[in-house]
């Protein structure tokens, strides 16, 4: 299982909320950050998860693939933020 998804599941985040979070990430990364903060994950775990994402960004693609989402949309959203 993808480590990002594993951390979310460890904190009892439902499959539906996980999918919604990654869908938000593909559409609007800023909204996704807001959703992450509402999940009730302890700050130290959230920091760990963000550190994992920062050092292993390919995990986002792996998670979107695992959830059956379109990673190209994540890249498009990232490109919009960088402009």
């Amino acid at each position: 299982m993808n480590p990002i998804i594993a951390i979310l599941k460890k904190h009892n985040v439902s499959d539906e909320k996980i999918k919604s979070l990654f869908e938000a990430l593909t559409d609007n990364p800023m909204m996704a950050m807001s959703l992450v903060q509402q999940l009730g994950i302890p700050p130290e775990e959230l920091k760990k998860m963000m550190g994992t994402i920062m050092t292993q960004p390919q995990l986002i693609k792996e998670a979107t693939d695992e959830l059956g989402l379109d990673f190209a949309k994540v890249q498009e959203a990232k490109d919009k933020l960088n402009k």
Side-chain angles (χ1 to χ4, degrees), residues 41-72:
I41 298 172
E44 62 277 0
E45 285 289 319
L46 190 55
K47 184 177 178 181
K48 178 182 172 185
M49 185 174 72
M50 296 309 289
T52 300
I53 292 169
M54 298 297 269
T55 60
Q56 300 175 58
Q58 77 279 2
L59 292 176
I60 294 174
K61 181 180 185 327
E62 292 172 13
T64 56
D65 290 346
E66 190 172 319
L67 295 169
L69 300 173
D70 184 3
F71 181 73

Side-chain angles (χ1 to χ4, degrees), residues 5-64:
I5 295 172
I7 290 171
L8 294 170
K9 285 188 176 275
K10 176 182 171 186
H11 293 284
N12 300 316
V13 178
S14 70
D15 290 341
E16 182 180 308
K17 284 186 178 181
I18 291 171
K19 190 165 183 169
S20 293
L21 175 63
F22 277 90
E23 286 173 347
L25 180 64
T26 63
D27 293 333
N28 184 342
M30 298 308 279
M31 187 173 106
M33 289 304 298
S34 173
L35 290 174
V36 167
Q37 294 172 341
Q38 297 172 14
L39 295 176
I41 298 172
E44 62 277 0
E45 285 289 319
L46 190 55
K47 184 177 178 181
K48 178 182 172 185
M49 185 174 72
M50 296 309 289
T52 300
I53 292 169
M54 298 297 269
T55 60
Q56 300 175 58
Q58 77 279 2
L59 292 176
I60 294 174
K61 181 180 185 327
E62 292 172 13
T64 56

